[in-house]
Amino acid sequence: VEEINANAYIGDISISLFVEDSKGLPTNSLSCFEKLTNVNDVSAIIGPLGSSEVLSIAPKAEQRKIVIMTPAASSPLITDAGDYIFRNVASDLYEATLMADAVVNDFKKERIAIVYINNDYGQGVFNKFSEGLKHNGFELVASEAYDEGTTDFRTIIIKLKEQNPDAIYIAGYKEIAYLIKQLKEQRLNPLLLTTAIFEDPEIIRIVGNSAEGIIFTTFFLDEDSKEERTRAFFKNYENKFNVKPDGYAATSYDAVYLIAEAIKNNGNTSESIKKGLYEIKEFPGLLGIFSIDVNGDVVLPIRMKTMQKGDLVNLNK
């Protein structure tokens, strides 16, 4: 927002930023939506981050014609959530399907389990991962769901031990750090696979030495990119926050520019922004060049990483 306003990216129009913290809860998201729309009179909202949050406010956003651009929610259900609902992060359709293909064909595992958070996001990952395995001729040997905020996974681990999987796919939020650590403490050592959330520094800190060998899908955010825009983003982000940006920082940054681009081309009403977003083609995002399709979705490059001797290393996938 600072860059856009300082550089007059939208001409005489400046972006006003209002921030509300939903704390990752759908009920809070509804309260935030009401304040932003009724008090702040916004035309577009960046966020929420969670799939259940987005799906909770989507009907009201459609009714009131308010653009929602989420930089993180990946549930396949969001594809059909409405004409005013957009995202610039890949659907679970791509991430979970890619992992299902890799665990069978690249990592050569046969006894595969999944542990997932019991919400719209987790259910979406479970469905697509299961479908991907079936496409490759395999069935899950175990599937366990847990509630958000869980820190004690002993019951689930006992059930997993009974099935003796040689690979476990984990989908959730920061709770996955405790699950991974407890799996290693209980000496259950299958190949552990997870999602882009693993790159969160707080998760890596909690997991500690138990992170070794974990494989996860992630956004293709290239710190060594030769693109001037990407290099400037890394430099400016680190200067401002004293940490390196992750994929969600990049998608959030791009989300603001997508809204600005739509305003520049069509105007600053919500209807104009919606129209402008659907018209965006070949956008030079930090994670790759992408277009917004008829469902308000994007397809982004995804790669795999693993933890080796305390460092995150790219895999050739």
Side-chain angles (χ1 to χ4, degrees), residues 20-30 32 48-50 53:
E20 294 293 328
D21 182 6
S22 67
K23 304 185 187 302
L25 302 174
T27 51
N28 286 12
S29 293
L30 286 167
C32 293
L49 299 184
E53 296 176 85

Side-chain angles (χ1 to χ4, degrees), residues 58-107:
K60 290 198 173 219
E62 285 292 297
Q63 181 184 12
R64 299 186 192 178
K65 299 182 178 180
I66 301 295
V67 168
I68 302 296
M69 171 63 77
T70 174
S74 55
S75 168
L77 296 176
I78 292 171
T79 295
D80 300 315
D83 288 339
Y84 286 81
I85 314 303
F86 298 83
R87 60 177 158 193
N88 64 318
V89 65
S91 166
D92 297 324
L93 172 68
Y94 307 106
E95 191 173 5
T97 302
L98 174 67
M99 188 61 86
D101 179 69
V103 70
V104 172
N105 298 309
D106 295 319
F107 308 135

